[in-house]
Amino acid sequence: MKKLITLVTLSLTLLYAGASGQNRPATEGDYYRIITLPIPEDIKLEVGGLAPLPDGRLAACTRRGEVWLIGNPYMQGSRVPTFKRFATGLHEPLGLMWHPKGYLLCTQRGEVTKLIDTDGDEVADEYKSFYKWPLSGNYHEYSYGPVLLPDGDMVITLNLDWIGYGASLAKWRGWMLKLTETGEMTPWATGMRSPAGFGVLRDGSIFYTENQGDWVGSGRMTHLTKGAFAGNPAGLRWTSEPGSPLTLKPSDVPSTGKPMHEVAKTIKELKVPAVWFPHTLMGISTSDFKEDTTNGAFGPFSGQLFVGDQGHSKIMRVALEKVNGEWQGACFPFREGFQSGIIRTVWGQDGSMFVGMTSRGWAATGKDPYGIQRLVWTGKTPFEMKTIRSKPDGFEVTFTLPVDRKTAEDPASYSLNSFTYRYHKTYGSPIEDARPVPIRGIVVAPDGMSARIVADTALREGYIHEVKLEGVRSASGNLALLHPTGYYTLNAIAPGERATVAARPASASHDHSAMMASTAKDAGMATKGKSTKPAAASRATAGPQRAKRITELPADWTNGPDQTLTIGTKPGLKFDTEKLEVKAGSRVKLVFNNNDDMLHNCVITKPGAANAVGNAALRLNLNGPKMNYVPNSADVLFHTNILQPESNESIYFVAPTEPGDYQFVCTFPGHSSLMQGTLKVVK
């Protein structure tokens, strides 16, 4: 009955979407449908790896140590999928691959295992160790892969340990290793922290995605060549081992807080990211990615990359290009609303994408603990920025549909901002050195399929550029862009001819300057002439906002606080307590211990306001880190700042005089829907 209800609900949802499409703004679901595979209730399918089989079935390994063969995953003829357990007893496998020679390879915690069905009964009879490595026993020793390379070799990656910071306690932790078909290993690259997502493009280029953490200011995608150093120095511990392609040592990497692109000028092995995923603006935990090799079956983005995000349960899109021989490019939002945290993605035989998910220990915005869903293009072309490409004087944006010339030629339809991150051993980074980029003019192509954005000042190499086209409309239907914002990582400015831009009237120039000032204000920046500085810090510490965070015992509390409360954290985006109680009007000391391996704050709100405050924190955009993701809202009563892992902060406040069920919440984007509790105020 449960399966029948799922299918009926899906049918009604699609029917409603089709019937109402003309009466509402376009949504992601109009172009890309999410179809949920029903899973029997007795199977805990916490997906760690997915592998399509030649006969159309889908293999999935789970964090509980099992491998399942899923029949009819496309649910053809309205039939539900079938599940057959192929293997069991593995140690948290987080990667699965079907080898062209007819067997499965599964990466569990301490080895790659070859799974062989010798008698054809669809159950593994042999578990052969293909390649193994040492373990320290640390809980954070996740292992991923293998991924097949064009030459028949494979690559795997090994997560760093976690001891309050990333560490390589066992050999090759933090490395990518290359394996031959016979199990011979060659160290390939290091500097990785949590390399859950990696893959090879059709041209043989290897990329991996990284999550924010120590030495990682924000999520990013990096091109890895042999001997590359991706940024986290813990794995450099093993560069004296035979076969290491590097000689760099951990002590050779300074933690100065300078931008990564500046440090790379003095450390030749350091590879800067090809693409940054600005933290919370795009996602919070980048995972698996796939190049679109479907030849148009998945829509108008052939050759681009689709990148999962575990924390925000969504998929992002990346358009790469090479400038001066190096990769760089733009990332865009693509599709939200998946049921759990995305770990793995694979292409189906029909050009749809299977998405495997889990959230145990890695809580996500998706409400389910695990699942497999299928993302299918409806055949309708969304109005999107297709690519952003570097030009010597700005950027060229291409579109999936022709643009309306009037709106596309108006500079007020556009805005540019640039910023960077600190490169240091601290967990994550605030947005640094954010500045608006004035626009001189726009040149729209005769066919309306592209627009050249000409900047009025020189662009900054090594910086991330936020490109917004909120005023541009389509030539047909007057559609707004489905996603009007992209983030371009500008490692090098492309050579070529500069665009000729007609001079604009003084009034137009004035209007555009006003628009830029408005954009800067929205982004938390103030402009005055050519000087810019973040305005968030002053707002976060001025006036009533300051009274909401008092970190020293008030002078008039001569007898100290009336009550001391302590709140900690635990894995899964949770506080370690769901309920606290204080007396109305009492003097309170609140100690917040962030003993998790992620960033958190603790914000006390009015009754029923936690979700609204969390949503307001999401809308802080570039200003969020400077404001510690605490919005200027009357619903916010008291708060700590964002805390690093394994740190704490105490705040002092007088409890509300009105009894009631107040709330406490972590407003770090992606956390607020799950990380909440009740502060009960009593007489």
Side-chain angles (χ1 to χ4, degrees):
M1 178 62 72
K2 181 178 180 181
K3 296 174 183 175
L4 178 60
I5 291 172
T6 299
L7 292 172
V8 170
T9 301
L10 173 63
S11 299
L12 290 174
T13 300
L14 295 177
L15 180 63
Y16 173 78
S20 61
Q22 300 300 317
N23 300 321
R24 57 171 174 76
T27 66
E28 294 173 338
D30 294 328
Y31 307 100
Y32 289 89
R33 290 187 291 128
I34 296 175
I35 300 174
T36 302
L37 274 65
I39 299 171
E41 293 182 358
D42 60 339
I43 299 176
K44 308 301 181 186
L45 208 71
E46 298 177 340
V47 176
L50 291 177
L53 304 184
D55 61 6
R57 290 181 297 171
L58 183 67
C61 66
T62 77
R63 296 182 64 198
R64 295 173 182 252
E66 300 172 324
V67 177
W68 292 86
L69 302 180
I70 304 172
N72 192 35
Y74 304 92
M75 295 192 289
Q76 295 172 341
S78 298
R79 293 181 294 113
V80 297
T82 61
F83 291 80
K84 172 81 172 181
R85 190 165 67 180
F86 180 74
T88 189
L90 303 169
H91 187 179
E92 195 168 28
L94 290 171
L96 189 66
M97 187 191 90
W98 172 259
H99 196 281
K101 293 193 175 179
Y103 51 84
L104 285 168
L105 288 171
C106 185
T107 299
Q108 50 177 325
R109 183 151 289 209
E111 71 169 33
V112 178
T113 307
K114 189 175 182 178
L115 303 172
I116 306 171
D117 175 13
T118 59
D119 57 11
D121 64 351
E122 299 182 337
V123 175
D125 303 297
E126 293 186 20
Y127 297 62
K128 288 187 175 181
S129 178
F130 183 79
Y131 179 75
K132 63 176 59 178
W133 48 86
L135 296 172
S136 73
N138 186 276
Y139 83 99
H140 214 243
E141 288 184 323
Y142 308 116
S143 306
Y144 313 103
V147 168
L148 188 66
L149 301 177
D151 62 2
D153 288 345
M154 294 160 278
V155 286
I156 61 172
T157 57
L158 305 182
N159 214 87
L160 286 180
D161 306 89
W162 183 258
I163 53 174
Y165 55 88
S168 187
L169 303 181
K171 193 174 179 180
W172 304 125
R173 284 279 146 196
W175 282 74
M176 173 176 281
L177 308 177
K178 191 174 183 181
L179 306 177
T180 67
E181 190 181 331
T182 58
E184 297 175 352
M185 187 275 287
T186 301
W188 185 256
T190 190
M192 288 161 276
R193 174 186 172 272
S194 185
F198 58 102
V200 58
L201 307 190
R202 281 182 287 193
D203 69 357
S205 300
I206 299 171
F207 286 82
Y208 98 104
T209 58
E210 184 63 270
N211 298 326
Q212 185 190 65
D214 51 327
W215 297 95
V216 187
S218 184
R220 61 199 190 199
M221 171 179 282
T222 304
H223 176 221
L224 294 180
T225 53
K226 187 175 183 180
F229 169 54
N232 190 301
L236 296 174
R237 174 183 178 186
W238 309 107
T239 55
S240 297
E241 294 292 321
S244 170
L246 297 97
T247 58
L248 198 68
K249 300 297 180 186
S251 58
D252 296 329
V253 184
S255 177
T256 61
K258 292 181 179 179
M260 195 173 184
H261 71 276
E262 289 292 333
V263 180
K265 294 176 182 178
T266 60
I267 301 177
K268 62 181 177 59
E269 299 90 344
L270 180 59
K271 291 281 287 188
V272 296
V275 174
W276 286 95
F277 299 90
H279 202 65
T280 72
L281 300 175
M282 287 295 296
I284 62 172
S285 188
T286 45
S287 59
D288 207 8
F289 68 88
K290 289 293 178 290
E291 182 182 17
D292 184 351
T293 57
T294 67
N295 296 318
F298 196 66
F301 305 109
S302 181
Q304 297 191 15
L305 309 183
F306 292 90
V307 184
D309 191 83
Q310 195 279 331
H312 278 180
S313 303
K314 68 182 181 183
I315 289 176
M316 303 168 287
R317 178 170 59 87
V318 166
L320 291 171
E321 65 170 331
K322 268 188 176 180
V323 175
N324 298 334
E326 295 294 328
W327 290 102
Q328 59 188 40
C331 60
F332 308 89
F334 183 68
R335 186 62 164 96
E336 297 183 337
F338 290 88
Q339 68 187 119
S340 192
I342 296 173
I343 299 293
R344 293 285 166 248
T345 57
V346 295
W347 294 115
Q349 292 181 341
D350 63 349
S352 63
M353 177 182 283
F354 286 100
V355 180
M357 296 161 281
T358 178
S359 67
R360 175 166 58 91
W362 308 324
T365 54
K367 302 302 182 185
D368 293 335
Y370 53 81
I372 296 180
Q373 292 180 307
R374 188 164 145 253
L375 189 60
V376 182
W377 182 42
T378 65
K380 295 174 60 179
T381 298
F383 180 46
E384 292 271 43
M385 284 186 277
K386 188 173 184 178
T387 64
I388 302 173
R389 300 200 180 280
S390 174
K391 292 296 178 182
D393 49 5
F395 298 100
E396 181 180 64
V397 178
T398 66
F399 302 95
T400 56
L401 296 171
V403 294
D404 164 63
R405 185 165 294 276
K406 181 179 179 181
T407 57
E409 289 180 341
D410 184 357
S413 295
Y414 303 76
S415 66
L416 296 177
N417 294 290
S418 62
F419 59 94
T420 188
Y421 293 105
R422 298 174 188 169
Y423 176 55
H424 55 185
K425 64 183 179 181
T426 305
Y427 194 105
S429 167
I431 286 171
E432 288 285 301
D433 196 14
R435 302 180 192 175
V437 179
I439 296 173
R440 188 194 314 164
I442 308 294
V443 180
V444 178
D447 62 0
M449 295 298 291
S450 66
R452 185 94 170 250
I453 307 172
V454 182
D456 205 28
T457 58
L459 299 180
R460 296 188 288 174
E461 289 187 336
Y463 279 69
I464 305 145
H465 286 72
E466 180 187 65
V467 183
K468 282 192 174 184
L469 281 67
E470 294 180 321
V472 174
R473 297 294 181 265
S474 66
S476 176
N478 195 37
L479 297 173
L481 286 159
L482 186 62
H483 299 104
T485 305
Y487 294 92
Y488 189 96
T489 300
L490 187 68
N491 293 324
I493 297 173
E497 294 184 5
R498 294 177 173 269
T500 300
V501 180
R504 287 179 287 116
S507 59
S509 177
H510 175 78
D511 291 345
H512 181 57
S513 298
M515 182 276 295
M516 289 304 302
S518 176
T519 300
K521 181 180 179 182
D522 291 341
M525 297 172 286
T527 62
K528 185 177 181 180
K530 293 186 178 180
S531 173
T532 63
K533 78 173 189 175
S538 60
R539 287 207 300 270
T541 58
Q545 184 75 1
R546 186 174 185 179
K548 297 180 181 182
R549 177 178 171 264
I550 300 174
T551 58
E552 295 183 1
L553 182 74
D556 59 343
W557 291 20
T558 54
N559 294 323
D562 300 321
Q563 293 179 259
T564 298
L565 306 175
T566 301
I567 304 176
T569 60
K570 60 183 181 180
L573 297 188
K574 295 180 180 178
F575 291 107
D576 63 0
T577 182
E578 295 181 356
K579 188 174 182 179
L580 296 169
E581 186 173 299
V582 297
K583 291 184 178 180
S586 62
R587 297 175 172 180
V588 179
K589 176 183 179 181
L590 175 69
V591 181
F592 177 47
N593 295 313
N594 182 16
N595 39 14
D596 196 9
D597 59 359
M598 303 177 72
L599 300 172
H600 296 297
N601 64 8
C602 183
V603 179
I604 297 174
T605 75
K606 292 180 179 179
N611 288 331
V613 170
N615 290 334
L618 276 172
R619 296 191 294 271
L620 292 176
N621 297 322
L622 292 180
N623 203 26
K626 294 288 186 182
M627 295 182 68
N628 285 277
Y629 297 102
V630 180
N632 287 330
S633 168
D635 288 329
V636 174
L637 300 180
F638 317 105
H639 69 89
T640 70
N641 274 354
I642 289 287
L643 297 189
Q644 292 284 323
E646 307 296 337
S647 64
N648 62 77
E649 181 172 280
S650 296
I651 60 173
Y652 299 83
F653 61 88
V654 176
T657 57
E658 184 70 27
D661 289 339
Y662 296 76
Q663 293 180 279
F664 54 91
V665 59
C666 174
T667 58
F668 192 89
H671 295 189
S672 63
S673 62
L674 298 168
M675 202 167 176
Q676 297 185 16
T678 300
L679 177 68
K680 190 173 185 65
V681 177
V682 298
K683 292 184 178 180

